[in-house]
Amino acid sequence: MKTADGIVVIHNGQLVDGTGRAAVSDGAVLIEEGVIRYAGPRADMPDVEDDAARIDANGGTILPGLVEAHFHATYFNIRALEDLDIKYPVEYVSLLSSVNCRLAVECGYTAARSGGCLFNVDVWLNKAIDEDLIMGPRLATSGREICSAGGVMDWNPEFRRIGMEGLVFIINGPDDARKAVRTLVKDGIEWVKTYPTGDAAAPDINDHHTLCMTFEEMHAVVATAHNHNMKVTGHCRATEGIKNALRAGYDCIEHGTFMDDEALDLLLERDVPCVPALYFEKASVELGPEFGLPQTVIDGHQETLDGGIESAKRILRAGGRLGMGGDYGFGWNPHGDYARELTFFVNEVGLTPLEVITCATKTGAEIMGRGDEIGTLEVGKLGDVLIVDGDVLADISLLEHRDNLLAVLQGGVIKAGRLAEPFPTLVKQE
Ligand SMILES: [Zn+2]
């Protein structure tokens, strides 16, 4: 991804640097050749040439670009489990995904960690983003997910004679698990996404208390993935599934819904981050009836919402790490609503806006494995910056509305927001 030429100075706003430190009321950020050279009080900023580009934050908030830590680029207006798979051919899925990626940047999300995708779309999206052909978040890629036969992602009954060719490898035993990971190795992905447990979406045979992979299968996934420098995460709701994943060596836990003391200890032992993705549950409960979700499914989402809130509180209070991301791409939880997760965590989980911003920036970058490059506004990091017209610490929900975003920068280049040029000017056809 190209970075800005010369010097860019952002001034006239409170600086929230993403480290968790208190805001600097009159802050400034100096970016040189796309890299942060100074971030702190404006009064202490080194002198710069008169011809440096200047961005006036209008008395608002200067913070790191946000990180969506559970992003599904290929999900689009999903209304039922069946929509997750090959509803459309891969050609159209790719186009839809690029629209989602552009939208993420327009919403202030300059980076994202994938939570799984159809086919191998992530890797190719990432290439197009990296080469500035399309606009999108810096992406930690995933690919097809892994779930055991009869598990939550293997819902097609036998008479249909189809599996989940688009989204999921259906495995039977550790040998199959290794085979699936080895396929992903060749595809070039970074994160292996698995399904240790079921979900409220499948109340009859694979609900949120059901295990969908054995420990042996999960261990085989981790051993193979780690050997090839890939990381492993999993959809973990049931308590025993969370523990299996942590004992198997998972690098991240998605949802972590029903944590008991032992699960929490296992999580903290290796400082494994967790991405609760709770707003999805709330949206499912609130809008489920409108979308025709059965009452048993809605009841299950309420239970996972309650359990998830409790577990998230415990993790944060115990000094654990939470990433902010939310399974966006469903009809009732569409792409573009990403920042609702942040508001939810302030209003209903009890985090302060400063805490939630740290989760959505620094921790997100750490989960991606790029904490040394992005996630905070510190010297040496890339100039991925979000400038908001208003005091985000007083009202976190300002982030929900694109109209409030003055500028979204990647590597010092303004990509979106009110101050952005139309995107095509970024691509110069020779
Ligand atoms: Zn997901």
Side-chain angles (χ1 to χ4, degrees), residues 70-72 75 115-116 145 193 195 235 254-255 277 326-327 330:
H70 186 121
F71 186 66
H72 292 290
Y75 287 10
E145 310 172 349
K193 166 75 179 296
Y195 278 86
H235 174 99
E254 308 307 303
H255 311 303
D327 263 330
F330 286 74

Side-chain angles (χ1 to χ4, degrees), residues 49-65:
E49 307 279 318
D50 287 346
D51 61 353
R54 284 165 206 276
I55 303 173
D56 186 338
N58 198 31
T61 309
I62 306 164
L63 67 159

